[in-house]
Amino acid sequence: MLIVLSLVLRRVDRRDTKVVAAFAQEVALVSFLYMLWRLARQLPLLHEEGAIERGQWIYDFQRAIHLPSELSMEKWLAEHHWFAQVTVDYYATVHVPGLLCFLVWLWVRHRDQYPRWRNALAITTGFCLFIRFIRVSPPRLTPGHGFWDLSAQMGRDIYGPVGTGASDQFAAMPSIHVAWACIVAFGIWHCANSRWRIIGPIHLVFTMWAVMATANHWWLDGLVAIALVGLALAIDEGARRLAAAWRARRGPLSADRTGPADPVDPGPDPELVPTG
């Protein structure tokens, strides 16, 4: 419906209708990408073969390189009930609305920057959809270390029993929460000019805290997500440079195809023209 609206409005030769048409097109595109993400999360990948072993490998690797312990974070959070409730609510509710607010803000205030961050979002989400087929258990589903489902304990069972609900619980790597929060953080910091741009990094830091202190992700899940955002931005920048170089090459070629200019008749040689 939005695509049809966009196509119809583009035929109207007015600036305001063209803006509405472009906005409708972007809403349709983002909605389509989100629909793909939701459908992919519901694919019948209920088998957990190798997932717990990979989760255990991540646990051992993180200890070997001395990353902070998610279990210590969860235990501390459980002792501070009000902060635990805020953290669980943040994890459950801010993820998608925060991204949508960022995209609308970009469109309204920094439209020239919008395509770059929309492309980064699409590329990063594509990477996440591909990597999710490698099964990895989150901390709360990796036995033997003392993790538990803090969200369920706080009365907000986000995912429910394994094999039910809208999300595949053995697709912890990478964290899409962190990936999208990273795009919001980098985008706000890059585009905003006021002191309020600190909101972006704060959102990323608190999202990192929320996904790990609730035992829904490993540190490595978040770090890989941030690396994928950096890769997506590099791909977008590389594609833009290639497109610019291609357009620059087309310019001279287009001029060559028109052929050389007709020679201008200089007229008779003054020395050969008789005088007197």
Side-chain angles (χ1 to χ4, degrees):
M1 183 64 182
L2 288 172
I3 291 295
V4 174
L5 176 63
S6 175
L7 293 174
V8 171
L9 291 178
R10 284 182 183 276
R11 294 180 174 272
V12 181
D13 191 18
R14 289 180 53 185
R15 184 178 182 277
D16 54 347
T17 55
K18 290 185 182 300
V19 171
V20 174
F23 182 75
Q25 176 180 309
E26 290 300 327
V27 172
L29 175 60
V30 173
S31 300
F32 177 71
L33 292 174
Y34 184 66
M35 180 193 69
L36 288 181
W37 171 251
R38 296 289 296 182
L39 289 175
R41 290 171 63 185
Q42 299 181 55
L43 290 176
L45 298 175
L46 304 182
H47 64 281
E48 55 189 70
E49 182 180 355
I52 293 177
E53 289 77 4
R54 295 185 188 97
Q56 179 62 51
W57 181 90
I58 290 176
Y59 176 84
D60 294 337
F61 176 74
Q62 291 186 167
R63 293 192 64 185
I65 62 175
H66 305 291
L67 286 177
S69 168
E70 296 91 351
L71 183 58
S72 298
M73 296 165 66
E74 185 175 37
K75 287 181 177 179
W76 182 90
L77 188 61
E79 295 173 358
H80 300 80
H81 186 273
W82 72 270
F83 191 47
Q85 191 66 59
V86 170
T87 300
V88 169
D89 290 344
Y90 197 89
Y91 175 83
T93 61
V94 179
H95 173 47
V96 174
L99 177 67
L100 295 179
C101 289
F102 166 70
L103 292 174
V104 171
W105 171 77
L106 266 185
W107 174 264
V108 174
R109 298 296 300 273
H110 303 278
R111 196 169 305 172
D112 60 319
Q113 295 291 325
Y114 178 87
R116 178 187 187 190
W117 299 99
R118 180 248 288 135
N119 293 346
L121 171 65
I123 296 170
T124 302
T125 304
F127 281 142
C128 291
L129 288 175
F130 179 76
I131 297 174
R132 72 183 291 276
F133 287 94
I134 303 175
R135 324 295 289 136
V136 177
S137 63
R140 60 185 173 81
L141 295 179
T142 305
H145 305 299
F147 292 105
W148 69 96
D149 191 339
L150 181 63
S151 300
Q153 187 182 70
M154 298 295 297
R156 188 157 192 164
D157 193 357
I158 298 173
Y159 296 109
V162 175
T164 65
S167 296
D168 176 15
Q169 300 188 53
F170 284 98
M173 171 67 76
S175 170
I176 194 67
H177 274 74
V178 174
W180 289 2
C182 185
I183 290 172
V184 172
F186 288 1
I188 291 177
W189 185 262
H190 176 78
C191 298
N193 297 318
S194 72
R195 61 183 179 179
W196 294 105
R197 66 179 184 167
I198 194 64
I199 291 175
I202 289 175
H203 172 57
L204 175 58
V205 169
F206 199 68
T207 299
M208 288 279 288
W209 162 262
V211 301
M212 284 173 284
T214 57
N216 281 297
H217 285 284
W218 305 100
W219 274 97
L220 206 59
D221 299 340
L223 295 177
V224 169
I226 294 173
L228 289 177
V229 172
L231 179 59
L233 288 169
I235 290 173
D236 178 70
E237 181 64 23
R240 289 174 184 274
R241 291 184 178 182
L242 287 174
W246 181 72
R247 287 193 297 267
R249 287 196 300 269
R250 282 193 64 192
L253 290 175
S254 298
D256 291 344
R257 283 196 295 268
T258 62
D262 293 331
V264 177
D265 184 4
D269 190 332
E271 295 183 0
L272 303 178
V273 176
T275 60

Coordinates of all heavy atoms in Angstrom, one line a residue, residues 25-26 28-37 40 99-100 102-103 106 113-131 174 176 179-184 225 228-236 240:
Q25 N 8.0 5.6 0.8 CA 8.9 4.6 0.3 C 9.8 4.1 1.3 O 10.0 2.9 1.4 CB 9.7 5.2 -0.9 CG 10.7 4.2 -1.5 CD 11.5 4.9 -2.6 OE1 10.9 5.4 -3.5 NE2 12.8 4.8 -2.5
E26 N 10.4 5.0 2.1 CA 11.3 4.6 3.2 C 10.6 3.8 4.3 O 11.1 2.8 4.8 CB 12.0 5.8 3.8 CG 13.0 6.5 2.9 CD 14.1 5.5 2.4 OE1 14.5 4.7 3.2 OE2 14.6 5.7 1.3
A28 N 8.0 1.9 3.8 CA 7.7 0.6 3.2 C 9.0 -0.3 3.3 O 8.9 -1.5 3.6 CB 7.2 0.8 1.8
L29 N 10.1 0.3 2.9 CA 11.4 -0.4 2.9 C 11.8 -0.9 4.3 O 12.1 -2.1 4.5 CB 12.5 0.5 2.4 CG 13.9 -0.2 2.4 CD1 13.9 -1.4 1.5 CD2 14.9 0.8 1.8
V30 N 11.7 0.0 5.3 CA 12.1 -0.4 6.7 C 11.1 -1.5 7.2 O 11.5 -2.4 7.9 CB 12.1 0.8 7.6 CG1 12.3 0.4 9.0 CG2 13.2 1.7 7.2
S31 N 9.8 -1.3 6.9 CA 8.8 -2.3 7.3 C 9.1 -3.6 6.7 O 8.9 -4.7 7.3 CB 7.4 -1.8 6.9 OG 7.1 -0.6 7.6
F32 N 9.5 -3.6 5.4 CA 9.8 -4.9 4.7 C 11.0 -5.6 5.4 O 10.9 -6.8 5.6 CB 10.0 -4.6 3.3 CG 10.4 -5.8 2.5 CD1 9.5 -6.8 2.2 CD2 11.8 -6.0 2.0 CE1 9.9 -8.0 1.4 CE2 12.1 -7.1 1.3 CZ 11.2 -8.1 1.0
L33 N 12.0 -4.8 5.7 CA 13.2 -5.4 6.3 C 12.8 -6.0 7.7 O 13.3 -7.1 8.1 CB 14.3 -4.3 6.5 CG 14.9 -3.9 5.2 CD1 15.9 -2.7 5.4 CD2 15.7 -5.0 4.4
Y34 N 12.0 -5.3 8.4 CA 11.6 -5.7 9.8 C 10.8 -7.0 9.6 O 10.9 -7.9 10.4 CB 10.8 -4.7 10.5 CG 10.5 -5.1 11.9 CD1 11.4 -5.2 12.9 CD2 9.1 -5.2 12.3 CE1 11.1 -5.6 14.2 CE2 8.8 -5.6 13.6 CZ 9.8 -5.8 14.5 OH 9.4 -6.2 15.8
M35 N 9.9 -7.1 8.6 CA 9.1 -8.3 8.4 C 10.0 -9.5 8.1 O 9.8 -10.6 8.6 CB 8.1 -8.0 7.2 CG 7.2 -9.2 6.9 SD 6.4 -9.1 5.3 CE 7.8 -9.2 4.2
L36 N 11.0 -9.2 7.2 CA 12.0 -10.3 7.0 C 12.6 -10.8 8.2 O 12.8 -12.0 8.4 CB 13.0 -9.9 5.9 CG 12.5 -9.7 4.5 CD1 13.7 -9.2 3.6 CD2 12.0 -11.0 4.0
W37 N 13.0 -9.9 9.1 CA 13.7 -10.2 10.3 C 12.8 -11.1 11.2 O 13.1 -12.1 11.8 CB 14.1 -9.0 11.1 CG 14.6 -9.2 12.5 CD1 14.0 -8.9 13.6 CD2 15.8 -9.9 12.8 NE1 14.8 -9.3 14.7 CE2 15.9 -10.0 14.2 CE3 16.9 -10.5 12.1 CZ2 16.9 -10.5 14.9 CZ3 17.9 -11.1 12.8 CH2 17.9 -11.1 14.2
A40 N 12.4 -14.6 9.7 CA 13.6 -15.4 9.9 C 13.7 -15.9 11.3 O 14.2 -17.0 11.6 CB 14.8 -14.6 9.5
L99 N 15.2 2.3 17.7 CA 15.6 2.4 16.4 C 14.7 3.2 15.5 O 15.1 4.0 14.6 CB 15.8 0.9 15.8 CG 16.2 0.8 14.4 CD1 17.6 1.3 14.2 CD2 16.0 -0.6 13.9
L100 N 13.4 3.0 15.6 CA 12.4 3.7 14.8 C 12.5 5.2 15.0 O 12.4 6.0 14.1 CB 11.0 3.2 15.1 CG 10.8 1.7 14.7 CD1 9.3 1.3 15.0 CD2 11.0 1.5 13.2
F102 N 15.1 6.8 16.0 CA 16.3 7.3 15.4 C 16.1 7.5 13.9 O 16.6 8.5 13.3 CB 17.4 6.3 15.6 CG 18.6 6.4 14.8 CD1 19.5 7.5 15.0 CD2 18.9 5.5 13.8 CE1 20.6 7.7 14.2 CE2 20.1 5.6 13.0 CZ 20.9 6.7 13.2
L103 N 15.5 6.6 13.2 CA 15.3 6.7 11.8 C 14.4 7.9 11.4 O 14.7 8.6 10.5 CB 14.7 5.4 11.2 CG 15.6 4.2 11.2 CD1 14.8 2.9 10.8 CD2 16.8 4.4 10.4
L106 N 16.5 11.0 11.9 CA 17.4 11.2 10.8 C 16.7 11.8 9.6 O 17.1 12.7 8.9 CB 18.0 9.9 10.4 CG 19.4 9.5 11.0 CD1 19.8 8.2 10.4 CD2 20.4 10.6 10.8
Q113 N 22.0 12.4 5.5 CA 22.7 11.3 6.1 C 21.9 10.0 6.2 O 22.4 8.9 6.6 CB 23.2 11.7 7.5 CG 24.2 12.8 7.6 CD 25.5 12.3 7.0 OE1 25.9 11.2 7.2 NE2 26.2 13.2 6.3
Y114 N 20.6 10.1 6.0 CA 19.7 9.0 6.2 C 20.1 7.8 5.4 O 20.1 6.6 5.9 CB 18.2 9.4 5.9 CG 17.2 8.3 6.0 CD1 16.6 8.0 7.2 CD2 16.9 7.5 4.9 CE1 15.7 7.0 7.4 CE2 16.0 6.5 5.0 CZ 15.4 6.2 6.2 OH 14.5 5.2 6.4
P115 N 20.4 7.9 4.1 CA 20.7 6.7 3.3 C 21.8 5.9 3.9 O 21.8 4.6 3.8 CB 21.0 7.2 1.9 CG 20.2 8.5 1.8 CD 20.3 9.1 3.2
R116 N 22.8 6.5 4.3 CA 24.0 5.9 4.9 C 23.7 4.9 6.0 O 24.1 3.8 6.1 CB 25.1 6.9 5.3 CG 26.3 6.2 5.9 CD 27.2 7.3 6.5 NE 28.5 6.7 6.9 CZ 29.4 7.4 7.6 NH1 29.2 8.6 7.9 NH2 30.5 6.8 7.9
W117 N 22.9 5.5 7.0 CA 22.6 4.7 8.2 C 21.5 3.7 7.9 O 21.4 2.6 8.5 CB 22.2 5.6 9.3 CG 23.4 6.5 9.6 CD1 23.6 7.8 9.2 CD2 24.5 6.1 10.4 NE1 24.8 8.2 9.7 CE2 25.4 7.2 10.4 CE3 24.9 5.0 11.0 CZ2 26.6 7.2 11.0 CZ3 26.2 4.9 11.6 CH2 27.0 6.0 11.6
R118 N 20.6 4.0 7.0 CA 19.6 2.9 6.6 C 20.3 1.8 5.9 O 20.0 0.6 6.1 CB 18.6 3.6 5.6 CG 17.5 2.6 5.2 CD 17.6 2.3 3.7 NE 17.2 3.5 2.9 CZ 17.9 4.0 1.9 NH1 19.1 3.4 1.5 NH2 17.5 5.0 1.2
N119 N 21.3 2.1 5.0 CA 22.0 1.0 4.4 C 22.8 0.2 5.4 O 22.8 -1.1 5.3 CB 23.0 1.6 3.3 CG 22.2 2.2 2.2 OD1 21.1 2.0 2.0 ND2 23.0 3.0 1.4
A120 N 23.4 0.8 6.4 CA 24.1 0.1 7.4 C 23.2 -0.8 8.2 O 23.6 -1.9 8.5 CB 24.8 1.1 8.3
L121 N 22.0 -0.3 8.5 CA 21.0 -1.1 9.2 C 20.7 -2.4 8.4 O 20.6 -3.5 8.9 CB 19.8 -0.3 9.4 CG 18.5 -1.1 10.0 CD1 18.8 -1.6 11.4 CD2 17.3 -0.1 10.0
A122 N 20.4 -2.2 7.1 CA 20.0 -3.3 6.2 C 21.2 -4.3 6.1 O 21.0 -5.6 6.2 CB 19.6 -2.8 4.9
I123 N 22.4 -3.9 5.9 CA 23.5 -4.8 5.7 C 23.8 -5.5 7.0 O 24.1 -6.7 7.0 CB 24.8 -4.0 5.3 CG1 24.6 -3.4 3.9 CG2 26.0 -4.9 5.2 CD1 25.6 -2.4 3.5
T124 N 23.8 -4.8 8.1 CA 24.1 -5.4 9.4 C 23.1 -6.5 9.8 O 23.4 -7.6 10.2 CB 24.1 -4.4 10.6 OG1 25.1 -3.4 10.3 CG2 24.4 -5.0 11.9
T125 N 21.8 -6.2 9.6 CA 20.7 -7.1 9.8 C 20.9 -8.3 9.0 O 20.6 -9.5 9.4 CB 19.4 -6.5 9.6 OG1 19.3 -5.3 10.5 CG2 18.2 -7.4 10.0
G126 N 21.3 -8.1 7.7 CA 21.5 -9.3 6.8 C 22.6 -10.2 7.3 O 22.5 -11.4 7.3
F127 N 23.7 -9.6 7.8 CA 24.8 -10.4 8.4 C 24.2 -11.2 9.6 O 24.6 -12.4 9.8 CB 25.9 -9.5 8.9 CG 26.8 -9.0 7.8 CD1 27.3 -7.7 7.8 CD2 27.2 -9.9 6.8 CE1 28.2 -7.3 6.8 CE2 28.0 -9.5 5.7 CZ 28.5 -8.2 5.7
C128 N 23.5 -10.5 10.5 CA 22.9 -11.2 11.7 C 22.0 -12.4 11.3 O 22.1 -13.4 11.9 CB 22.2 -10.2 12.5 SG 23.2 -8.9 13.3
L129 N 21.2 -12.2 10.3 CA 20.3 -13.3 9.8 C 21.1 -14.5 9.3 O 20.7 -15.6 9.5 CB 19.4 -12.8 8.7 CG 18.3 -11.8 9.1 CD1 17.5 -11.3 7.9 CD2 17.3 -12.5 10.1
F130 N 22.2 -14.2 8.7 CA 23.1 -15.3 8.2 C 23.8 -16.0 9.3 O 23.8 -17.3 9.4 CB 24.1 -14.7 7.1 CG 25.0 -15.8 6.6 CD1 24.5 -16.7 5.6 CD2 26.3 -15.9 7.0 CE1 25.4 -17.6 5.1 CE2 27.1 -16.9 6.5 CZ 26.7 -17.8 5.5
I131 N 24.4 -15.3 10.2 CA 25.2 -15.9 11.3 C 24.3 -16.6 12.2 O 24.8 -17.6 12.9 CB 26.0 -14.8 12.0 CG1 27.0 -14.1 11.0 CG2 26.8 -15.3 13.2 CD1 27.8 -13.0 11.6
P174 N 25.1 -13.1 16.5 CA 25.5 -11.9 17.3 C 24.2 -11.3 18.0 O 23.1 -11.8 17.6 CB 26.1 -10.9 16.4 CG 25.4 -11.2 15.1 CD 25.0 -12.7 15.0
I176 N 21.4 -8.9 18.1 CA 20.8 -7.9 17.3 C 20.4 -6.6 18.1 O 20.4 -5.5 17.6 CB 19.5 -8.4 16.6 CG1 19.0 -7.5 15.4 CG2 18.4 -8.7 17.6 CD1 20.0 -7.4 14.3
A179 N 23.6 -4.7 18.0 CA 23.8 -4.2 16.6 C 23.0 -3.0 16.3 O 23.5 -1.9 15.8 CB 23.5 -5.3 15.6
W180 N 21.7 -3.0 16.6 CA 20.8 -1.9 16.3 C 21.1 -0.7 17.2 O 21.1 0.4 16.8 CB 19.4 -2.3 16.4 CG 18.9 -3.2 15.3 CD1 19.7 -3.7 14.3 CD2 17.6 -3.7 15.1 NE1 18.9 -4.5 13.4 CE2 17.6 -4.5 13.9 CE3 16.4 -3.6 15.8 CZ2 16.5 -5.2 13.4 CZ3 15.3 -4.3 15.3 CH2 15.3 -5.1 14.1
A181 N 21.4 -1.0 18.5 CA 21.8 0.1 19.4 C 23.1 0.8 18.9 O 23.3 2.0 19.1 CB 22.0 -0.5 20.8
C182 N 24.0 0.0 18.4 CA 25.3 0.6 17.9 C 25.0 1.5 16.7 O 25.6 2.6 16.6 CB 26.2 -0.6 17.5 SG 27.8 0.0 17.0
I183 N 24.1 1.1 15.8 CA 23.8 2.0 14.7 C 23.1 3.3 15.2 O 23.5 4.4 14.7 CB 22.8 1.3 13.7 CG1 23.6 0.1 13.0 CG2 22.2 2.2 12.7 CD1 22.7 -0.8 12.2
V184 N 22.3 3.2 16.1 CA 21.6 4.4 16.7 C 22.7 5.3 17.4 O 22.8 6.5 17.2 CB 20.6 4.0 17.8 CG1 20.1 5.2 18.5 CG2 19.4 3.3 17.1
A225 N 28.7 -8.0 17.1 CA 27.6 -7.1 16.5 C 28.2 -5.8 16.2 O 27.9 -5.2 15.1 CB 26.5 -7.0 17.5
L228 N 30.3 -5.9 13.1 CA 29.5 -6.1 11.9 C 29.0 -4.7 11.5 O 28.9 -4.4 10.3 CB 28.3 -7.0 12.2 CG 28.7 -8.5 12.3 CD1 27.5 -9.3 12.6 CD2 29.4 -9.0 11.0
V229 N 28.6 -3.8 12.5 CA 28.2 -2.5 12.1 C 29.3 -1.7 11.4 O 29.1 -1.1 10.4 CB 27.7 -1.7 13.4 CG1 27.4 -0.3 13.0 CG2 26.4 -2.4 13.9
G230 N 30.5 -1.9 12.0 CA 31.7 -1.2 11.4 C 31.9 -1.7 9.9 O 32.2 -1.0 9.0
L231 N 31.8 -3.0 9.7 CA 31.9 -3.6 8.4 C 30.8 -3.1 7.5 O 31.1 -2.8 6.3 CB 31.9 -5.1 8.5 CG 32.0 -5.9 7.2 CD1 33.3 -5.6 6.5 CD2 31.9 -7.4 7.5
A232 N 29.6 -3.0 7.9 CA 28.5 -2.6 7.1 C 28.7 -1.1 6.7 O 28.5 -0.8 5.5 CB 27.2 -2.7 7.9
L233 N 29.2 -0.3 7.6 CA 29.5 1.1 7.2 C 30.6 1.2 6.2 O 30.6 2.0 5.3 CB 29.9 1.9 8.5 CG 28.7 2.2 9.4 CD1 29.2 2.8 10.7 CD2 27.7 3.2 8.8
A234 N 31.6 0.3 6.3 CA 32.8 0.3 5.4 C 32.3 -0.2 4.0 O 32.7 0.4 3.0 CB 33.9 -0.6 5.9
I235 N 31.4 -1.2 4.0 CA 30.8 -1.6 2.7 C 30.0 -0.5 2.0 O 30.2 -0.3 0.8 CB 29.9 -2.9 2.9 CG1 30.8 -4.1 3.3 CG2 29.1 -3.2 1.7 CD1 30.0 -5.3 3.7
D236 N 29.2 0.2 2.8 CA 28.4 1.3 2.2 C 29.4 2.4 1.7 O 29.1 2.9 0.6 CB 27.5 1.9 3.3 CG 26.7 3.1 2.8 OD1 25.8 2.8 1.9 OD2 27.0 4.2 3.2
R240 N 29.8 3.6 -2.2 CA 29.6 5.0 -2.7 C 30.8 5.5 -3.5 O 30.7 6.2 -4.5 CB 29.4 5.9 -1.4 CG 28.1 5.7 -0.8 CD 28.0 6.5 0.5 NE 26.7 6.2 1.2 CZ 25.6 6.8 1.0 NH1 25.6 7.8 0.0 NH2 24.5 6.5 1.6

